[in-house]
Amino acid sequence: MPEVVPFGSWRSPISAARAVAGSVRIGEVAVSGNDVYWVEGRPAEKGRGVLVRRRADGVPEDLTPEPFNVRTRVHEYGGGAYWLAGETFFFSNDDDCRIYRLDPGSDARPITPEGASRWADGSVGADGSRMYVVREDHSAADAEETNSIALVDPQGESEPQNVVSGADFHADPRVSPDGRQLCWLQWNHPNMPWDGTELFVATLSEDGLPQDAVRVAGAVDESVFQPQWGPDGRLYFVSDRSGWWNLYRWDGTTVEPIRAVDAEFGQPQWVFRQSTYDFAGDDRLICSYLKPDGWRLASIDLTTLAFTELAIEYTEISDVRATADAVYFVGASPSELPAIIRLDLATHATTVVATSGTVEDDLRPYVSVPETLEVPRGDGTPIHAYFYPPTNPNFEVPEGSTPPVIVQVHGGPTARRSNTLDLRVQYWTSRGFGWLDVNYAGSTGYGTAYRRMLDDKWGVADVSDCATAIAYLVEQGRADAAKTIIRGGSAGGFTVLAALSFHDAFAAGSCHYGISDLEIMAKETHKFESRYLDRLIGPYPEAKDIYVERSPIYSVDKLTSPVLFLHGTEDKVVPPNQAEMMFQALRERDVPTALVLFEGEQHGFRKAETAQRALESELLFFGTVLLDGPVGF
């Protein structure tokens, strides 16, 4: 018979170690012939990125031995850390930031010089003699880094040459199939790529230099995503000009919509080389698109533009890559951890190519299934959220009791939470905590208008939505008002501190590498996000008063709830002084608080021991300040 034990004190077989073991990061999928490639970020190897290949025989092999770390820090967030040219591939090595070339049967060798440049998102011409790569140059000690697209010799025999420059940022250089044209995206401050980008196409000279560039699409208020040349020679791309990220193509003269629908075929470009579509042979395009209930997959006939949905069980889809016979993608669902999936286009049968982790049979009874919620705001518009109820077959609770609930605030803030299985969430729900993911105003996946609801309102609209969402659960009798917790990282960490400073909806919080002083953030953060706050708050220093007004560090006298701070010592996006200042201020006022610094960690935790210690620290902290103490880790 189940034991009667209060919420939050249940014993669970989902330990922090087991939860972290299921968090191998898999992504950056590529296909060449019958071979599938991807990058694994392995917490057990201190977060090292390893390039893996699976041939037709189904046996995976590591291609980059230690100490190589396939990762780039362009824009700090990276992505596009490797690219293929037949069976040769090129990758950025994190330790020295150089591009390496790896040919079959040979050792990797550097082809870019030592120096202060970072590289990402390369594209090799059809004949293999030219390569165009995004370059971020940090050589000027007293000035901001510069971004460009460089022409790189694939053999490494000549110096890289900048061939596209002038904008603050560049991305997605892609050589046309005939080798005669180059396309790319660019944008300028204060825009982020989801605010507005421009898509250019230039003719390539005999020396490989872009000339006579023309703007195909995009503007300061039109976001273009994933330009890609089609087998028909036309240029395909995603644009939000309709209010939704939809598919278009350009034939050299005219832009034509491919599919007009209230759904998102694009994503916020935090990292390079994201892919929501690809070409399956000469006459078919396979695409993924996001509706409020999750991602879907479809086939489009490139001649008739007939649209056919492909039935799959996955609600989260990324890294779409296709061949004439199959489509590969990273898929996940409320019951399955992220995995690389192969979908046969003839039979629609799916095969798992690689997984991020395994949920053992003994853990399945403890998995909480999320419920989709639309919580009404005061004006009647919906706040989108997912609620995971406490789940553990071994326990019941005293009659009339309600659970502590953790509100998870995603980072960005231009991002979203999904409803896919994450053992780090189940770590909490299996112990008797409810879990509420809130896709507050400004989140992606619900159209441009929803995304822009946070303009000028960061620290206000997001906080209000989180407070409204938890109040909704309390009113329904599904959350204990005295034991509400708010938790988030990066931008989500700022929302945590703002909610605790300016609202009384939460009893405690956990701030992971979050922002406490918006003014310092505007002055000290890296180039990519240095003007992000112009749209979210206002231009700095013109709007300095608003920065101060919304910064938790200046309203620390209003914060009386316990707060735990978790931060990496090497964080360049949100420096650790943001946590240290807030921790010290609360400590001086005798507010229950704790600070855990993780040596060598950057923005986000990559090491297994860090992720495990962070979970255990939170359980210990919340158990101490809100409950009667946790029962076991």
Side-chain angles (χ1 to χ4, degrees), residues 35 80 87 105 182 229 259-260 299 342 402-403 433 622-623 630:
D35 297 341
E87 289 200 348
L182 179 74
W229 296 97
R259 180 72 176 172
S299 171
R342 180 187 187 274
T402 51
F433 291 80
F622 294 142

Side-chain angles (χ1 to χ4, degrees), residues 28-38 52-56 63 82-89 104 278 321-324 326 328:
E28 302 200 42
V29 178
V31 182
S32 179
N34 293 319
D35 297 341
V36 186
Y37 299 80
W38 66 92
V52 183
R53 174 175 60 196
R54 196 194 79 161
R55 292 193 180 275
L63 296 176
Y82 81 98
W83 50 96
L84 297 172
E87 289 200 348
T88 296
F89 70 89
D278 201 4
R321 305 293 179 189
T323 67
Y328 298 81

Side-chain angles (χ1 to χ4, degrees), residues 179-182 184 201-206 208-214:
R180 296 178 180 178
Q181 294 177 291
L182 179 74
W184 68 89
V201 172
T203 302
L204 293 176
S205 69
E206 291 185 0
L209 304 180
Q211 55 190 10
D212 302 323
V214 296

Side-chain angles (χ1 to χ4, degrees), residues 476-594:
Q476 289 191 327
R478 306 187 75 183
D480 186 336
K483 298 176 181 178
T484 55
I485 298 166
I486 186 166
R487 174 187 193 269
S490 191
F494 164 71
T495 302
V496 166
L497 297 178
L500 294 173
S501 298
F502 307 121
H503 279 258
D504 59 2
F506 299 97
S510 175
C511 176
H512 301 207
Y513 38 90
I515 303 158
S516 61
D517 189 328
L518 293 169
E519 192 175 12
I520 290 180
M521 183 70 181
K523 293 177 180 179
E524 294 185 359
T525 194
H526 60 133
K527 178 184 176 183
F528 180 62
E529 293 183 83
S530 62
R531 301 289 299 280
Y532 190 14
L533 303 190
D534 282 29
R535 182 181 288 265
L536 297 175
I537 297 173
Y540 185 85
E542 294 86 346
K544 177 178 179 177
D545 289 350
I546 302 176
Y547 281 71
V548 172
E549 177 186 336
R550 295 189 194 171
S551 293
I553 191 66
Y554 296 113
S555 296
V556 72
D557 58 310
K558 300 177 182 178
L559 202 166
T560 58
S561 301
V563 189
L564 171 66
F565 296 91
L566 305 170
H567 218 108
T569 61
E570 302 301 320
D571 194 336
K572 304 299 183 184
V573 178
V574 180
N577 63 352
Q578 291 272 352
E580 292 166 337
M581 290 185 303
M582 199 72 184
F583 166 71
Q584 189 59 39
L586 292 177
R587 193 177 182 184
E588 290 173 358
R589 295 180 53 252
D590 294 325
V591 175
T593 186

Side-chain angles (χ1 to χ4, degrees), residues 20 90 96 110 167 173 302 319 351 372 376 382 424 506 512 518 626 628:
V20 169
F90 302 86
D96 58 11
L302 294 180
D319 288 276
T351 305
T372 300
R424 290 165 297 184
F506 299 97
H512 301 207
L518 293 169
L626 289 184
D628 295 327

Side-chain angles (χ1 to χ4, degrees), residues 203-479:
T203 302
L204 293 176
S205 69
E206 291 185 0
D207 296 328
L209 304 180
Q211 55 190 10
D212 302 323
V214 296
R215 184 174 63 83
V216 172
V220 293
D221 58 356
E222 177 189 353
S223 173
V224 177
F225 171 86
Q226 196 192 340
Q228 188 166 329
W229 296 97
D232 54 8
R234 287 183 279 198
L235 181 60
Y236 291 70
F237 60 93
V238 175
S239 166
D240 72 345
R241 60 178 61 183
S242 70
W244 297 84
W245 269 315
N246 282 184
L247 275 165
Y248 297 83
R249 64 184 177 188
W250 178 71
D251 62 5
T253 304
T254 305
V255 171
E256 173 190 19
I258 296 176
R259 180 72 176 172
V261 64
D262 290 354
E264 301 279 46
F265 290 76
Q267 304 179 79
Q269 192 168 316
W270 284 103
V271 298
F272 292 96
R273 219 175 188 85
Q274 297 175 101
S275 178
T276 60
Y277 70 92
D278 201 4
F279 301 97
D282 294 335
D283 57 1
R284 180 161 52 167
L285 179 149
I286 306 297
C287 61
S288 59
Y289 62 102
L290 179 59
K291 300 282 280 186
D293 60 350
W295 284 89
R296 303 178 186 182
L297 200 66
S299 171
I300 299 178
D301 185 303
L302 294 180
T303 302
T304 66
L305 299 187
F307 185 91
T308 305
E309 187 167 326
L310 303 175
I312 57 172
E313 61 186 23
Y314 302 96
T315 58
E316 190 76 11
I317 299 171
S318 61
D319 288 276
V320 175
R321 305 293 179 189
T323 67
D325 303 317
V327 57
Y328 298 81
F329 58 90
V330 176
S333 73
S335 60
E336 299 297 332
L337 296 171
I340 298 175
I341 306 300
R342 180 187 187 274
L343 173 68
D344 188 291
L345 290 173
T347 66
H348 293 182
T350 57
T351 305
V352 176
V353 175
T355 64
S356 62
T358 302
V359 181
E360 292 86 353
D361 289 343
D362 68 309
L363 299 187
R364 286 288 177 185
Y366 301 87
V367 171
S368 177
V369 178
E371 305 169 17
T372 300
L373 300 180
E374 288 191 352
V375 178
R377 295 188 181 90
D379 62 3
T381 59
I383 303 166
H384 301 278
Y386 300 109
F387 179 62
Y388 297 75
T391 303
N392 188 317
N394 299 327
F395 296 99
E396 293 180 350
V397 294
E399 186 176 353
S401 60
T402 51
V405 172
I406 298 171
V407 170
Q408 174 65 35
V409 188
H410 65 68
T414 309
R416 58 181 282 272
R417 290 285 295 181
S418 75
N419 63 353
T420 56
L421 181 60
D422 184 341
L423 289 180
R424 290 165 297 184
V425 173
Q426 306 298 330
Y427 175 83
W428 294 99
T429 55
S430 63
R431 285 170 168 75
F433 291 80
W435 181 281
L436 183 65
D437 281 323
V438 180
N439 283 326
Y440 50 81
S443 300
T444 58
Y446 308 101
T448 306
Y450 195 88
R451 192 168 77 241
R452 292 182 176 170
M453 286 175 67
L454 203 59
D455 289 1
D456 300 321
K457 297 182 176 66
W458 191 36
V460 178
D462 51 326
V463 173
S464 176
D465 280 1
C466 290
T468 299
I470 192 63
Y472 177 79
L473 286 184
V474 170
E475 290 169 6
Q476 289 191 327
R478 306 187 75 183

